[in-house]
Coordinates of all heavy atoms in Angstrom, one line a residue:
E1 N 9.5 7.5 10.3 CA 9.8 7.0 11.6 C 8.4 6.8 12.3 O 7.4 7.5 12.0 CB 10.5 8.0 12.5 CG 11.9 8.2 12.0 CD 12.7 9.2 12.9 OE1 12.1 9.8 13.8 OE2 13.9 9.2 12.7
I2 N 8.4 5.8 13.2 CA 7.2 5.6 14.0 C 7.7 5.5 15.5 O 8.7 5.0 15.7 CB 6.4 4.3 13.6 CG1 5.1 4.3 14.3 CG2 7.2 3.1 13.8 CD1 4.1 3.2 13.7
T3 N 6.9 6.1 16.3 CA 7.2 6.2 17.7 C 6.1 5.6 18.6 O 4.9 5.5 18.1 CB 7.5 7.6 18.3 OG1 6.3 8.4 18.1 CG2 8.7 8.2 17.6
E4 N 6.4 5.1 19.7 CA 5.4 4.7 20.7 C 5.9 5.2 22.0 O 7.0 5.0 22.5 CB 5.4 3.1 20.7 CG 4.2 2.6 21.6 CD 4.1 1.1 21.5 OE1 3.4 0.7 20.6 OE2 4.7 0.4 22.4
D5 N 4.9 5.9 22.7 CA 5.2 6.5 24.0 C 6.4 7.4 23.9 O 7.2 7.4 24.8 CB 5.4 5.5 25.1 CG 4.1 4.7 25.3 OD1 3.0 5.2 25.2 OD2 4.2 3.5 25.7
G6 N 6.6 8.1 22.8 CA 7.7 9.0 22.6 C 9.0 8.4 22.3 O 10.0 9.1 22.1
E7 N 9.1 7.1 22.1 CA 10.3 6.4 21.8 C 10.3 5.9 20.4 O 9.2 5.4 19.9 CB 10.5 5.2 22.7 CG 10.5 5.6 24.2 CD 11.8 5.2 24.9 OE1 12.6 4.5 24.3 OE2 11.9 5.7 26.0
L8 N 11.4 6.0 19.7 CA 11.5 5.5 18.3 C 11.2 3.9 18.3 O 11.9 3.2 19.1 CB 12.9 5.7 17.7 CG 13.1 5.2 16.3 CD1 12.3 6.0 15.3 CD2 14.6 5.4 16.0
A9 N 10.3 3.5 17.5 CA 9.9 2.1 17.4 C 10.3 1.5 16.1 O 10.6 0.3 16.0 CB 8.4 1.9 17.7
G10 N 10.4 2.3 15.1 CA 10.8 1.8 13.8 C 10.9 2.9 12.7 O 10.6 4.0 13.0
F11 N 11.5 2.5 11.6 CA 11.7 3.5 10.5 C 11.8 2.8 9.2 O 12.0 1.6 9.1 CB 12.9 4.4 10.8 CG 14.2 3.6 10.9 CD1 15.0 3.4 9.8 CD2 14.6 3.1 12.1 CE1 16.2 2.7 9.9 CE2 15.8 2.3 12.2 CZ 16.6 2.2 11.1
V12 N 11.7 3.6 8.1 CA 11.8 3.2 6.7 C 12.9 4.0 6.1 O 13.0 5.2 6.2 CB 10.5 3.4 5.9 CG1 10.7 3.0 4.5 CG2 9.3 2.6 6.5
R13 N 13.9 3.3 5.5 CA 14.8 4.0 4.6 C 14.2 4.1 3.3 O 13.7 3.2 2.7 CB 16.1 3.1 4.5 CG 17.1 3.2 5.7 CD 18.4 2.6 5.5 NE 18.9 2.9 4.2 CZ 19.4 1.9 3.3 NH1 19.3 0.7 3.6 NH2 19.9 2.3 2.2
Y14 N 14.4 5.3 2.7 CA 13.8 5.6 1.4 C 14.6 6.6 0.6 O 15.4 7.3 1.2 CB 12.3 6.1 1.6 CG 12.2 7.4 2.3 CD1 12.2 8.6 1.6 CD2 12.2 7.4 3.7 CE1 12.2 9.8 2.3 CE2 12.1 8.6 4.4 CZ 12.1 9.8 3.7 OH 12.1 11.0 4.4
E15 N 14.3 6.7 -0.7 CA 14.9 7.7 -1.5 C 13.7 8.3 -2.4 O 13.0 7.5 -3.0 CB 15.9 7.1 -2.5 CG 17.1 6.6 -1.8 CD 18.1 5.9 -2.7 OE1 18.0 6.0 -3.9 OE2 19.1 5.3 -2.2
I16 N 13.6 9.6 -2.4 CA 12.6 10.3 -3.2 C 13.3 10.9 -4.4 O 14.3 11.6 -4.2 CB 11.8 11.3 -2.4 CG1 11.0 10.6 -1.3 CG2 10.9 12.1 -3.3 CD1 10.2 11.5 -0.4
T17 N 12.7 10.7 -5.5 CA 13.1 11.4 -6.8 C 11.8 12.0 -7.3 O 10.7 11.6 -6.9 CB 13.8 10.4 -7.8 OG1 12.9 9.4 -8.0 CG2 15.1 9.9 -7.2
P18 N 11.9 12.9 -8.3 CA 10.7 13.5 -8.8 C 9.7 12.4 -9.3 O 10.0 11.5 -10.1 CB 11.2 14.3 -10.0 CG 12.6 14.7 -9.6 CD 13.1 13.5 -8.9
G19 N 8.6 12.4 -8.7 CA 7.5 11.5 -9.0 C 7.5 10.1 -8.4 O 6.6 9.4 -8.7
E20 N 8.5 9.7 -7.7 CA 8.5 8.4 -7.1 C 9.3 8.4 -5.8 O 10.1 9.2 -5.5 CB 9.1 7.4 -8.1 CG 10.6 7.6 -8.4 CD 11.0 6.6 -9.5 OE1 10.2 6.0 -10.3 OE2 12.2 6.3 -9.5
I21 N 9.0 7.3 -5.0 CA 9.7 7.0 -3.8 C 10.1 5.5 -3.8 O 9.3 4.7 -4.1 CB 8.8 7.3 -2.6 CG1 9.6 7.1 -1.3 CG2 7.5 6.5 -2.6 CD1 8.9 7.6 0.0
A22 N 11.3 5.3 -3.6 CA 11.9 3.9 -3.5 C 11.9 3.6 -2.0 O 12.6 4.3 -1.2 CB 13.2 3.8 -4.1
L23 N 11.3 2.6 -1.6 CA 11.2 2.1 -0.2 C 12.3 1.0 0.0 O 12.1 -0.1 -0.5 CB 9.9 1.6 0.2 CG 8.8 2.7 0.1 CD1 7.4 2.2 0.4 CD2 9.1 3.9 0.9
I24 N 13.4 1.4 0.6 CA 14.6 0.5 0.5 C 14.6 -0.6 1.6 O 14.9 -1.7 1.4 CB 15.9 1.4 0.8 CG1 15.9 2.6 -0.2 CG2 17.1 0.5 0.7 CD1 15.9 2.2 -1.7
S25 N 14.3 -0.2 2.9 CA 14.2 -1.1 4.0 C 13.3 -0.7 5.1 O 13.1 0.5 5.2 CB 15.6 -1.4 4.5 OG 16.2 -0.3 5.1
T26 N 12.9 -1.6 5.8 CA 12.0 -1.4 7.0 C 12.7 -1.9 8.2 O 13.1 -3.1 8.2 CB 10.6 -2.0 6.8 OG1 10.0 -1.6 5.6 CG2 9.7 -1.6 8.0
E27 N 12.8 -1.1 9.3 CA 13.4 -1.6 10.5 C 12.4 -1.4 11.7 O 11.9 -0.3 11.8 CB 14.7 -0.8 10.8 CG 15.8 -1.2 9.9 CD 16.4 -2.6 10.2 OE1 16.4 -3.0 11.3 OE2 16.9 -3.2 9.2
T28 N 12.3 -2.4 12.5 CA 11.5 -2.2 13.8 C 12.6 -2.5 14.9 O 13.2 -3.5 14.8 CB 10.4 -3.2 13.8 OG1 9.5 -3.1 12.7 CG2 9.6 -3.0 15.1
L29 N 12.7 -1.7 15.9 CA 13.6 -1.9 17.0 C 13.2 -3.1 17.8 O 12.0 -3.4 17.9 CB 13.7 -0.6 17.8 CG 14.6 0.5 17.2 CD1 14.0 1.1 16.0 CD2 15.0 1.5 18.2
Q30 N 14.1 -3.7 18.4 CA 14.0 -5.0 19.0 C 12.8 -5.0 20.0 O 12.0 -5.9 20.0 CB 15.2 -5.4 19.8 CG 15.2 -6.7 20.5 CD 15.2 -7.9 19.4 OE1 15.9 -7.8 18.4 NE2 14.5 -8.9 19.7
N31 N 12.6 -4.1 20.8 CA 11.6 -4.1 21.9 C 10.2 -3.9 21.2 O 9.2 -4.0 22.0 CB 11.8 -3.0 22.9 CG 13.0 -3.2 23.7 OD1 13.5 -4.4 23.8 ND2 13.5 -2.2 24.3
Y32 N 10.1 -3.6 20.0 CA 8.8 -3.3 19.4 C 8.4 -4.3 18.3 O 7.3 -4.1 17.6 CB 8.8 -1.9 18.8 CG 9.0 -0.8 19.8 CD1 10.3 -0.3 20.1 CD2 8.0 -0.4 20.6 CE1 10.5 0.6 21.0 CE2 8.2 0.6 21.6 CZ 9.4 1.1 21.8 OH 9.6 2.0 22.8
R33 N 9.1 -5.3 18.1 CA 8.8 -6.3 17.1 C 7.7 -7.2 17.5 O 7.3 -7.4 18.6 CB 10.1 -7.2 16.9 CG 11.2 -6.4 16.3 CD 12.4 -7.2 15.9 NE 13.3 -6.3 15.3 CZ 14.6 -6.5 15.2 NH1 15.1 -7.6 15.8 NH2 15.4 -5.7 14.7
R34 N 7.0 -7.8 16.4 CA 5.9 -8.7 16.6 C 4.7 -8.0 17.2 O 3.9 -8.6 17.9 CB 6.3 -9.9 17.4 CG 7.5 -10.6 16.9 CD 7.1 -11.9 16.3 NE 8.2 -12.6 15.8 CZ 8.5 -12.9 14.6 NH1 7.7 -12.5 13.6 NH2 9.6 -13.6 14.2
R35 N 4.5 -6.7 17.0 CA 3.4 -6.0 17.5 C 2.6 -5.2 16.4 O 1.7 -4.5 16.7 CB 3.9 -5.0 18.6 CG 4.5 -5.7 19.7 CD 5.2 -4.9 20.7 NE 4.4 -3.7 21.1 CZ 4.9 -2.8 21.9 NH1 6.1 -2.7 22.2 NH2 4.1 -1.7 22.2
G36 N 3.0 -5.5 15.1 CA 2.2 -4.8 14.0 C 2.7 -3.4 13.7 O 2.1 -2.7 12.9
I37 N 3.7 -3.0 14.4 CA 4.2 -1.6 14.1 C 4.8 -1.4 12.7 O 4.5 -0.4 12.1 CB 5.3 -1.2 15.2 CG1 4.5 -1.0 16.6 CG2 6.0 0.0 14.8 CD1 5.4 -0.7 17.7
A38 N 5.5 -2.4 12.2 CA 6.0 -2.3 10.9 C 4.9 -2.1 9.8 O 4.9 -1.3 8.9 CB 6.9 -3.5 10.5
R39 N 3.8 -2.9 10.0 CA 2.7 -2.8 9.1 C 2.0 -1.4 9.1 O 1.7 -0.8 8.1 CB 1.7 -3.9 9.3 CG 0.5 -3.8 8.3 CD -0.4 -5.0 8.3 NE 0.3 -6.2 7.9 CZ 0.3 -6.6 6.6 NH1 -0.3 -5.9 5.7 NH2 1.0 -7.7 6.2
I40 N 1.8 -0.9 10.3 CA 1.3 0.4 10.5 C 2.2 1.5 9.8 O 1.6 2.3 9.1 CB 1.1 0.8 12.0 CG1 0.0 -0.1 12.6 CG2 0.7 2.2 12.2 CD1 0.0 -0.1 14.2
L41 N 3.4 1.3 10.0 CA 4.4 2.2 9.4 C 4.3 2.2 7.9 O 4.2 3.2 7.2 CB 5.8 1.9 9.9 CG 7.0 2.7 9.3 CD1 6.8 4.2 9.6 CD2 8.3 2.2 9.8
I42 N 4.4 1.0 7.3 CA 4.3 0.9 5.8 C 3.0 1.3 5.3 O 3.0 2.0 4.3 CB 4.7 -0.6 5.4 CG1 6.1 -0.9 5.8 CG2 4.4 -0.8 3.9 CD1 7.2 0.1 5.3
E43 N 1.9 1.0 5.9 CA 0.6 1.5 5.3 C 0.5 3.0 5.4 O 0.0 3.6 4.5 CB -0.5 0.8 6.1 CG -0.7 -0.7 5.8 CD -1.8 -1.4 6.5 OE1 -2.5 -0.8 7.4 OE2 -2.0 -2.6 6.2
T44 N 1.1 3.6 6.4 CA 1.1 5.0 6.5 C 1.9 5.6 5.4 O 1.6 6.6 4.8 CB 1.6 5.5 7.9 OG1 0.7 4.9 8.9 CG2 1.6 7.0 8.1
V45 N 3.1 5.0 5.2 CA 4.0 5.6 4.1 C 3.3 5.4 2.8 O 3.4 6.3 1.9 CB 5.4 4.8 4.2 CG1 6.2 5.0 2.9 CG2 6.1 5.2 5.4
L46 N 2.7 4.3 2.5 CA 2.0 4.1 1.2 C 0.8 5.0 1.1 O 0.6 5.6 0.0 CB 1.5 2.6 1.1 CG 2.6 1.6 1.0 CD1 2.1 0.2 1.1 CD2 3.5 1.7 -0.3
D47 N 0.1 5.2 2.1 CA -1.0 6.2 2.0 C -0.5 7.7 1.8 O -1.0 8.4 1.0 CB -1.8 6.2 3.3 CG -2.6 4.9 3.5 OD1 -2.9 4.3 2.5 OD2 -3.0 4.6 4.7
E48 N 0.7 8.0 2.4 CA 1.3 9.3 2.1 C 1.8 9.4 0.7 O 1.7 10.4 0.1 CB 2.4 9.5 3.2 CG 3.1 10.9 3.0 CD 2.3 12.1 3.3 OE1 1.2 12.0 3.9 OE2 2.7 13.2 2.8
A49 N 2.4 8.3 0.2 CA 2.9 8.3 -1.2 C 1.7 8.6 -2.1 O 1.8 9.4 -3.1 CB 3.5 7.0 -1.5
R50 N 0.6 7.9 -1.8 CA -0.6 8.2 -2.7 C -1.1 9.6 -2.6 O -1.3 10.3 -3.6 CB -1.8 7.3 -2.3 CG -3.0 7.5 -3.1 CD -4.2 6.6 -2.6 NE -3.9 5.2 -2.5 CZ -3.7 4.4 -3.6 NH1 -3.8 4.8 -4.8 NH2 -3.5 3.1 -3.4
S51 N -1.1 10.2 -1.4 CA -1.6 11.6 -1.3 C -0.7 12.6 -1.9 O -1.1 13.6 -2.4 CB -1.8 11.9 0.2 OG -0.5 12.1 0.8
R52 N 0.6 12.2 -2.1 CA 1.6 13.1 -2.7 C 1.7 12.8 -4.2 O 2.5 13.4 -4.9 CB 2.9 12.9 -2.1 CG 2.9 13.5 -0.6 CD 4.2 13.3 0.1 NE 5.3 14.0 -0.6 CZ 6.5 14.0 -0.1 NH1 6.8 13.4 1.0 NH2 7.4 14.7 -0.8
G53 N 1.0 11.8 -4.7 CA 1.0 11.4 -6.1 C 2.3 10.8 -6.6 O 2.7 10.8 -7.7
L54 N 2.9 10.0 -5.6 CA 4.2 9.4 -5.9 C 4.0 7.9 -6.3 O 3.2 7.2 -5.7 CB 5.1 9.4 -4.7 CG 5.6 10.7 -4.2 CD1 6.3 10.6 -2.9 CD2 6.4 11.5 -5.2
E55 N 4.7 7.5 -7.3 CA 4.8 6.0 -7.7 C 5.7 5.4 -6.6 O 6.7 6.0 -6.2 CB 5.4 5.8 -9.1 CG 4.5 6.4 -10.2 CD 5.0 6.1 -11.5 OE1 6.2 5.9 -11.7 OE2 4.2 6.2 -12.5
V56 N 5.5 4.1 -6.3 CA 6.2 3.4 -5.3 C 7.1 2.4 -5.9 O 6.6 1.6 -6.7 CB 5.3 2.8 -4.2 CG1 6.0 1.9 -3.3 CG2 4.5 3.9 -3.5
L57 N 8.4 2.3 -5.5 CA 9.3 1.3 -5.9 C 9.6 0.5 -4.7 O 10.4 0.9 -3.8 CB 10.5 1.9 -6.6 CG 10.3 2.8 -7.7 CD1 11.7 3.3 -8.2 CD2 9.6 2.1 -8.8
P58 N 8.9 -0.7 -4.5 CA 9.1 -1.4 -3.2 C 10.3 -2.4 -3.2 O 10.2 -3.5 -3.4 CB 7.7 -2.2 -3.1 CG 7.4 -2.5 -4.6 CD 7.9 -1.2 -5.3
V59 N 11.5 -1.8 -3.0 CA 12.7 -2.6 -3.0 C 12.7 -3.5 -1.7 O 13.1 -4.6 -1.8 CB 13.9 -1.6 -2.9 CG1 15.2 -2.4 -2.8 CG2 13.9 -0.7 -4.1
C60 N 12.2 -3.0 -0.6 CA 12.1 -3.8 0.6 C 11.2 -5.0 0.5 O 10.0 -4.8 0.1 CB 11.7 -2.8 1.8 SG 11.4 -3.7 3.3
P61 N 11.6 -6.2 0.9 CA 10.8 -7.4 0.8 C 9.5 -7.2 1.7 O 8.5 -7.7 1.3 CB 11.6 -8.5 1.3 CG 13.0 -8.0 1.0 CD 13.0 -6.5 1.2
Y62 N 9.6 -6.6 2.8 CA 8.4 -6.4 3.6 C 7.4 -5.5 3.0 O 6.2 -5.8 3.0 CB 8.8 -5.9 5.0 CG 7.6 -5.8 5.9 CD1 7.1 -7.0 6.5 CD2 7.0 -4.6 6.3 CE1 5.9 -7.0 7.3 CE2 5.9 -4.6 7.1 CZ 5.4 -5.8 7.5 OH 4.2 -5.7 8.3
V63 N 7.9 -4.5 2.3 CA 6.9 -3.6 1.6 C 6.3 -4.4 0.5 O 5.1 -4.2 0.3 CB 7.6 -2.4 1.1 CG1 6.7 -1.5 0.3 CG2 8.2 -1.5 2.2
Q64 N 7.0 -5.2 -0.2 CA 6.5 -6.0 -1.3 C 5.4 -6.9 -0.7 O 4.3 -7.1 -1.3 CB 7.5 -6.9 -1.9 CG 8.6 -6.1 -2.7 CD 9.8 -6.9 -3.0 OE1 9.8 -8.2 -2.9 NE2 10.9 -6.2 -3.4
R65 N 5.6 -7.5 0.5 CA 4.6 -8.3 1.1 C 3.3 -7.6 1.4 O 2.2 -8.1 1.2 CB 5.2 -9.0 2.3 CG 4.3 -10.0 2.9 CD 5.0 -10.9 4.0 NE 4.4 -10.6 5.3 CZ 4.9 -10.8 6.4 NH1 6.2 -11.1 6.5 NH2 4.3 -10.5 7.5
V66 N 3.5 -6.4 2.0 CA 2.3 -5.6 2.4 C 1.5 -5.3 1.1 O 0.3 -5.4 1.1 CB 2.7 -4.4 3.2 CG1 1.5 -3.4 3.4 CG2 3.3 -4.7 4.5
I67 N 2.2 -4.8 0.1 CA 1.5 -4.5 -1.1 C 0.8 -5.7 -1.7 O -0.4 -5.6 -2.2 CB 2.5 -3.9 -2.2 CG1 2.9 -2.5 -1.6 CG2 1.8 -3.8 -3.5 CD1 4.0 -1.8 -2.5
S68 N 1.5 -6.9 -1.7 CA 0.9 -8.1 -2.2 C -0.4 -8.5 -1.4 O -1.4 -8.8 -2.0 CB 1.9 -9.2 -2.2 OG 1.3 -10.4 -2.7
E69 N -0.3 -8.4 -0.1 CA -1.4 -8.8 0.7 C -2.6 -7.8 0.7 O -3.7 -8.2 1.0 CB -0.9 -8.9 2.2 CG 0.0 -10.1 2.4 CD 0.6 -10.2 3.8 OE1 0.3 -9.3 4.6 OE2 1.3 -11.2 4.1
Q70 N -2.3 -6.6 0.3 CA -3.3 -5.5 0.2 C -3.3 -5.0 -1.2 O -3.4 -3.7 -1.4 CB -2.9 -4.3 1.2 CG -2.8 -4.7 2.6 CD -4.2 -4.7 3.3 OE1 -5.1 -4.0 2.8 NE2 -4.4 -5.4 4.3
A71 N -3.3 -5.9 -2.2 CA -3.2 -5.5 -3.6 C -4.3 -4.6 -4.0 O -4.1 -3.6 -4.8 CB -3.2 -6.7 -4.5
T72 N -5.6 -4.8 -3.6 CA -6.6 -3.9 -4.0 C -6.5 -2.5 -3.4 O -7.0 -1.5 -4.0 CB -8.0 -4.5 -3.5 OG1 -8.0 -4.6 -2.1 CG2 -8.3 -5.8 -4.2
R73 N -5.7 -2.3 -2.4 CA -5.5 -1.0 -1.8 C -4.2 -0.4 -2.3 O -4.2 0.9 -2.4 CB -5.4 -1.2 -0.3 CG -5.4 0.0 0.5 CD -5.5 -0.3 2.0 NE -5.3 0.9 2.8 CZ -5.1 0.8 4.1 NH1 -5.1 -0.3 4.8 NH2 -4.8 1.9 4.8
Y74 N -3.2 -1.1 -2.6 CA -1.9 -0.5 -2.8 C -1.2 -0.9 -4.2 O -0.3 -0.2 -4.6 CB -0.9 -0.8 -1.7 CG -1.3 -0.2 -0.4 CD1 -1.6 -1.0 0.7 CD2 -1.4 1.1 -0.2 CE1 -1.9 -0.5 1.9 CE2 -1.8 1.7 1.0 CZ -2.0 0.9 2.0 OH -2.4 1.4 3.2
L75 N -1.6 -1.9 -4.8 CA -0.9 -2.3 -6.0 C -0.8 -1.3 -7.1 O 0.3 -1.1 -7.8 CB -1.4 -3.6 -6.6 CG -0.7 -4.2 -7.8 CD1 0.7 -4.6 -7.4 CD2 -1.4 -5.4 -8.3
D76 N -1.8 -0.4 -7.2 CA -1.8 0.6 -8.2 C -0.7 1.7 -8.0 O -0.4 2.4 -8.9 CB -3.2 1.3 -8.3 CG -3.5 2.1 -7.0 OD1 -3.4 1.5 -5.9 OD2 -3.8 3.3 -7.1
L77 N -0.1 1.7 -6.8 CA 1.0 2.6 -6.6 C 2.3 2.2 -7.3 O 3.1 3.1 -7.6 CB 1.3 2.8 -5.1 CG 0.1 3.4 -4.2 CD1 0.5 3.2 -2.8 CD2 -0.1 4.8 -4.6
V78 N 2.4 1.0 -7.6 CA 3.6 0.5 -8.3 C 3.3 0.5 -9.8 O 2.3 -0.1 -10.2 CB 4.0 -1.0 -7.8 CG1 5.2 -1.5 -8.5 CG2 4.1 -1.0 -6.3
P79 N 4.2 1.2 -10.6 CA 3.9 1.2 -12.0 C 3.8 -0.2 -12.6 O 4.7 -1.1 -12.3 CB 5.2 1.9 -12.6 CG 5.7 2.7 -11.4 CD 5.4 1.8 -10.2
P80 N 2.8 -0.5 -13.5 CA 2.6 -1.8 -14.0 C 3.9 -2.4 -14.7 O 4.1 -3.6 -14.5 CB 1.5 -1.6 -15.1 CG 0.7 -0.4 -14.6 CD 1.8 0.5 -13.9
E81 N 4.7 -1.6 -15.3 CA 5.8 -2.1 -16.0 C 7.0 -2.5 -15.1 O 7.9 -3.1 -15.5 CB 6.3 -1.1 -17.1 CG 6.9 0.2 -16.6 CD 5.8 1.3 -16.2 OE1 4.6 1.0 -16.2 OE2 6.3 2.4 -15.8
K82 N 6.8 -2.1 -13.8 CA 7.9 -2.4 -12.8 C 7.5 -3.5 -11.8 O 8.3 -3.9 -11.0 CB 8.3 -1.1 -12.1 CG 8.9 -0.1 -13.1 CD 9.3 1.2 -12.4 CE 9.9 2.1 -13.4 NZ 10.3 3.4 -12.8
R83 N 6.2 -3.9 -11.9 CA 5.7 -4.9 -10.8 C 6.5 -6.2 -10.8 O 6.8 -6.7 -9.8 CB 4.2 -5.1 -11.0 CG 3.4 -3.9 -10.7 CD 2.0 -4.0 -11.0 NE 1.3 -2.7 -10.8 CZ 0.1 -2.5 -11.2 NH1 -0.7 -3.4 -11.8 NH2 -0.5 -1.3 -11.0
A84 N 6.8 -6.7 -12.0 CA 7.5 -8.0 -12.1 C 8.8 -8.0 -11.4 O 9.3 -8.9 -10.7 CB 7.6 -8.5 -13.5
R85 N 9.5 -6.8 -11.5 CA 10.8 -6.6 -10.9 C 10.7 -6.8 -9.4 O 11.7 -7.3 -8.7 CB 11.3 -5.2 -11.2 CG 12.7 -4.9 -10.5 CD 13.1 -3.4 -10.8 NE 12.9 -3.0 -12.1 CZ 13.0 -1.7 -12.5 NH1 13.3 -0.8 -11.6 NH2 12.8 -1.4 -13.7
Y86 N 9.6 -6.5 -8.8 CA 9.4 -6.6 -7.3 C 8.5 -7.8 -6.9 O 8.0 -7.9 -5.8 CB 8.8 -5.3 -6.8 CG 9.7 -4.2 -7.1 CD1 9.3 -3.2 -8.1 CD2 10.9 -4.0 -6.5 CE1 10.1 -2.1 -8.4 CE2 11.7 -2.9 -6.9 CZ 11.3 -2.0 -7.8 OH 12.1 -0.9 -8.1
G87 N 8.3 -8.7 -7.9 CA 7.5 -9.9 -7.6 C 6.0 -9.6 -7.4 O 5.3 -10.4 -6.7
L88 N 5.5 -8.6 -8.0 CA 4.1 -8.2 -7.8 C 3.3 -8.4 -9.1 O 3.8 -8.4 -10.2 CB 4.0 -6.7 -7.4 CG 4.7 -6.4 -6.1 CD1 4.7 -4.9 -5.9 CD2 3.9 -7.1 -4.9

């Protein structure tokens, strides 16, 4: 979850299994859209996945886009043999 001024602004649906996290969907609440909140949220989640040593399965198209746009920073989180499945 991400909040702004104490209010929920967005969240990520995910599933964690041993060694990996599947990022299912990203939601930004109506009043917080078009302000970069989703990107901050996803980059934070990806940084946390790295710190926890988790492989990332980017099911969410928005997560796929962030990883693609920031490939030098995040592509290594997605196992090479699974990248094509997510268009990476």
Side-chain angles (χ1 to χ4, degrees):
E1 295 181 350
I2 189 168
T3 60
E4 186 174 276
D5 297 328
E7 304 240 350
L8 180 65
F11 59 92
V12 176
R13 279 189 43 234
Y14 63 91
E15 294 177 8
I16 293 181
T17 56
E20 67 185 21
I21 184 170
L23 302 175
I24 309 299
S25 65
T26 305
E27 289 288 330
T28 305
L29 280 71
Q30 185 69 34
N31 293 341
Y32 298 97
R33 293 187 179 152
R34 306 254 184 244
R35 296 171 49 191
I37 288 177
R39 181 166 293 268
I40 293 167
L41 175 61
I42 294 306
E43 289 180 355
T44 300
V45 168
L46 293 171
D47 291 339
E48 179 67 17
R50 180 181 307 286
S51 74
R52 294 177 61 181
L54 297 173
E55 294 181 342
V56 173
L57 305 179
V59 177
C60 172
Y62 184 72
V63 175
Q64 294 168 11
R65 187 169 116 201
V66 170
I67 291 173
S68 180
E69 291 173 358
Q70 298 278 336
T72 58
R73 187 171 170 193
Y74 294 120
L75 185 60
D76 66 306
L77 294 172
V78 182
E81 68 278 6
K82 296 180 181 177
R83 291 177 187 166
R85 179 185 315 169
Y86 303 111
L88 300 170

